[in-house]
Every structure is written in C-alpha cells, then in structure tokens.
Amino acid sequence: MKYLALVLILTTTLTAKAQEMYESARSIRSLGMGGMYIPIVRDADALFYNPAALNRLEGLNILLGSIGVGTNSIDEQTLQVLQGIDPNDPSTFNDLFGERFWVNANGRAAIAMPHFGIGYFTDYSVSLELHNPSFPEFDTYFANDSGFVVGTSFGIGPGSSVGINLKRLNRWGGYSQDLGLSTVVDGASMEEIGENFNRKGVGYGMDLAVMTEIPAPFSPTIAVVWQNVGDVAFTKTDGDDAPPHIPQNLSAGAAIGFDLPGLDWTFGVEGRHLLNNDVQLGKKLHVGTEVSLPFIDVRAGLNQGYMSYGVGLNFLIFRLDAVSYVEELGVYPGQTADNRYMVGLTIDLSFDANFNFQDNNGKKRKLKQRR
C-alpha cells in the first residue's frame, strides 16, 4: 500500500516553481481552449472567473458540483523505476532525480441567477522533485486553497455590465520545502504530506470586472477582469507564520461567436497576469476556440505558446470534460514544458427565465449559455 500511495502522490502533484503563474480551480473547458475564458463564460462559472458575466444569465443555474483531477505525463521508464523503489534503499531513487511529478484535484459548486451568485471552491496541489543526490530529498510544494465567493453585476448601458466578487479564503501551505524520502514514502495521502506544512491562514479578496457585447454580427465581446485586487494576504490561524499571499491577476480578452445551423462556434483571445512585469508576454497569451455540437463540444487552443486540446460530452445534467495541455515552468515559452492532463465531471441543473428545466444541450442551444 505504501508503494501504491507513493505512485499516487507522485502522479497527482503540481509543480509550483516560481515561474509557474498561480491560478486555482481552473476550468477544464477553459484549459481546452488554451486558457481563454473570461469573454465567453455565461453560466455559474461567471462567479469564479468574470462576475460581470452574471448579467448574461437568463434563469437559475445550479452548479451542483464540478470535480476535476489532473496529472502530468509519466513515461514507461519512470513507471518501471517507481515499481522498483525500495524505501530502505535510496539508490533505487537515482533515476528519479530531476523528474517532476504533478497532480491537482479541485472542485466547485454554485448557485447563480441574473445579477447574483454564491459559490464555494477548493483546490489541492502538490508537487515533488527529487534532488540533492548526496542526501536525497524531495523539493515538495503543497497548497490547499478553498473559500466562499459572493458576486453581483450591474448593467451600465446596452450590452455592458460591471461585476464584483467578495471572497473569504482559507489557505493551507502554499510554499515549498524539502522532505526526506521516508516522509514521502510513508505518506498515505496528500493530506498526510500536507501535515508537514503547518502554515494556515484566512484572508479576504475581491474581483472586479467589466465587459461589453457589441451589437454587431458575430456578437463581439470584450472583457477585463482584475482578480484578487491588490493581492490576498492571510492572517495566521495555525503554524509558525501566515501562508504566502495570493497574487493579483489582471486579464483582458475578446471573443466572437457564430450561431450556425446545428452548431455554435466560438473564438477568442485573452491576456492574463498583465500586471506581472517579470513574466514574458508569450506566457501571458491564450488563444482558443470551441465548436459546440449536439451532445459534444470540441476545443483547441494555444496556451503559453503550446497547443491544447479538449472535449466535452453532454448528457442531460451531466458533462464530462477532458483536456491535454502544456504548462510552461520556465521563464519564457519553450524553456521548460510540462505536459498535463485533466478530466472532470460537472453536474449542472439549469432553468430558463420561465423556470422550465434545461438540460446541457438545451441550455447551450436555446439560452446561449455556452457561447
């Protein structure tokens, strides 16, 4: 069981190096479109990504739950090494030096209606990288961010709106430290690894957003979202010190949508982390597209200079999403690519303005919630 636990931990962790830009509970749909999302979101996800889009809702949207899990790619040779690990023989770890292992698990739920929404999210991230051959240790990152979000929006003119979110956040960890081989091998779960990170805290944040839909063919939309305005600082609730702050994120995006017979087609471009001058422009750029057909959505995009591919399967109130994408861990695109995969299940109960039930396909085609 210890060997199985080690494999699970190694294959479910997030490499949180200094050059990886922080974002929690990321939408798998968004990742499939290269990370582009804020100008097209139209359902309860607006509460987490663009509160100004709450103005678009035309009924009641209940996000009963959205759960996602992800890992980075592990080749066959690495799997063989993992199978041959002996906790009492450090030499069996030699072929793992320099290997990055990543996993992320997140979930969110929300209730949203025109101009208002309330929701909750949680996000677990862990990463391991073995270093220091003379005294092997895992450079380990652990973070659990969770919190409640309340948002509202107001119309400021034809097709234009502003939105604001208020958040109460709890953070556990959020930093890196070295852990010995026995500590990691003997750990049975991510939470047991997390017990080595005793810094916990509570903080409060705010998101501001503005967007406009231009009355023209193809419904051009422009959106600007400022998440975690001024950073989110934490007050210590446990441990020796408060956890590190969550940095602010200014994003701007534009999208167009085509309502064609039998399908919807969306295309957009977005810049994220625009206030971070230490990050090259190529790492801030996200371009994506989605073709929505009955019961299936096909996505593709460009994330930090790398291609991403995604698919969504819709059945009544259920949606299954999957994505293959690349995260840049280095200073500039093309330096240190990390291939990642995520899958997720969403249970979404929606009603139109007349309180008639809408399944995923009906919501997409009739209320344009997905375009």
Side-chain angles (χ1 to χ4, degrees):
M1 289 299 296
K2 290 182 179 179
Y3 299 119
L4 180 60
L6 175 62
V7 173
L8 177 61
I9 293 169
L10 290 176
T11 57
T12 56
T13 50
L14 171 70
T15 305
K17 297 300 183 182
Q19 289 296 330
E20 181 173 352
M21 294 179 290
Y22 172 85
E23 291 186 32
S24 65
R26 300 174 72 180
S27 161
I28 296 178
R29 182 187 175 209
S30 168
L31 291 171
M33 293 182 283
M36 186 276 302
Y37 204 33
I38 64 169
I40 68 168
V41 61
R42 287 179 176 266
D43 51 20
D45 268 356
L47 185 64
F48 303 100
Y49 299 98
N50 177 6
L54 290 170
N55 225 49
R56 288 172 155 177
L57 271 68
E58 300 181 30
L60 179 65
N61 186 200
I62 304 174
L63 182 61
L64 295 176
S66 181
I67 300 173
V69 294
T71 180
N72 63 340
S73 61
I74 300 177
D75 58 31
E76 183 177 352
Q77 181 179 353
T78 302
L79 287 174
Q80 293 175 352
V81 173
L82 292 172
Q83 292 172 355
I85 283 179
D86 181 354
N88 300 313
D89 182 4
S91 66
T92 60
F93 289 82
N94 288 344
D95 289 336
L96 294 180
F97 283 105
E99 291 284 344
R100 296 183 178 92
F101 300 93
W102 175 82
V103 82
N104 175 267
N106 63 69
R108 59 188 185 275
I111 299 176
M113 61 190 73
H115 314 296
F116 179 78
I118 183 170
Y120 174 83
F121 79 92
T122 188
D123 184 287
Y124 280 90
S125 299
V126 185
S127 72
L128 300 172
E129 183 175 348
L130 191 62
H131 69 149
N132 191 10
S134 60
F135 186 72
E137 293 179 310
F138 284 100
D139 179 10
T140 308
Y141 174 89
F142 172 86
N144 171 219
D145 292 324
S146 59
F148 290 94
V149 183
V150 177
T152 187
S153 65
F154 305 92
I156 56 173
S160 299
S161 60
V162 297
I164 182 172
N165 278 350
L166 299 178
K167 301 183 283 188
R168 184 185 188 276
L169 304 175
N170 291 285
R171 168 162 272 204
W172 174 14
Y175 56 95
S176 298
Q177 67 177 4
D178 289 334
L179 298 181
L181 293 180
S182 61
T183 301
V184 174
V185 172
D186 292 339
S189 68
M190 286 196 294
E191 289 207 3
E192 288 189 11
I193 294 295
E195 292 301 327
N196 296 278
F197 296 78
N198 64 353
R199 294 162 62 180
K200 297 181 180 180
V202 60
Y204 298 87
M206 178 174 64
D207 301 341
L208 299 175
V210 59
M211 70 181 304
T212 185
E213 297 186 51
I214 301 171
F218 314 130
S219 303
T221 302
I222 300 172
V224 178
V225 180
W226 189 4
Q227 294 177 314
N228 304 315
V229 176
D231 299 350
V232 176
F234 292 91
T235 300
K236 181 183 72 173
T237 58
D238 195 10
D240 301 327
D241 201 357
H245 69 271
I246 296 178
Q248 61 187 343
N249 175 14
L250 179 66
S251 305
I256 55 176
F258 302 84
D259 181 13
L260 304 174
L263 62 87
D264 290 341
W265 177 25
T266 299
F267 174 83
V269 60
E270 185 174 321
R272 303 183 66 78
H273 302 276
L274 299 177
L275 296 177
N276 192 337
N277 296 325
D278 296 329
V279 177
Q280 291 196 0
L281 180 61
K283 286 189 63 176
K284 301 177 181 181
L285 184 62
H286 306 269
V287 181
T289 187
E290 177 184 64
V291 176
S292 296
L293 301 163
F295 307 111
I296 187 170
D297 304 322
V298 180
R299 305 160 187 142
L302 193 67
N303 177 67
Q304 299 181 333
Y306 303 97
M307 290 299 299
S308 64
Y309 306 93
V311 63
L313 302 176
N314 305 296
F315 180 72
L316 296 178
I317 65 173
F318 302 98
R319 187 175 75 246
L320 180 65
D321 293 297
V323 63
S324 170
Y325 72 105
V326 178
E327 191 76 11
E328 178 55 62
L329 304 181
V331 177
Y332 53 85
Q335 183 182 20
T336 309
D338 193 28
N339 297 294
R340 299 179 176 182
Y341 310 94
M342 292 197 74
V343 295
L345 174 66
T346 298
I347 305 175
D348 190 353
L349 190 63
S350 298
F351 302 88
D352 65 16
N354 296 317
F355 219 75
N356 296 313
F357 170 74
Q358 296 286 317
D359 62 17
N360 279 316
N361 193 57
K363 182 178 67 173
K364 177 173 59 180
R365 298 299 302 169
K366 295 179 182 180
L367 294 183
K368 302 299 180 187
Q369 294 276 9
R370 301 282 308 283
R371 181 166 62 83

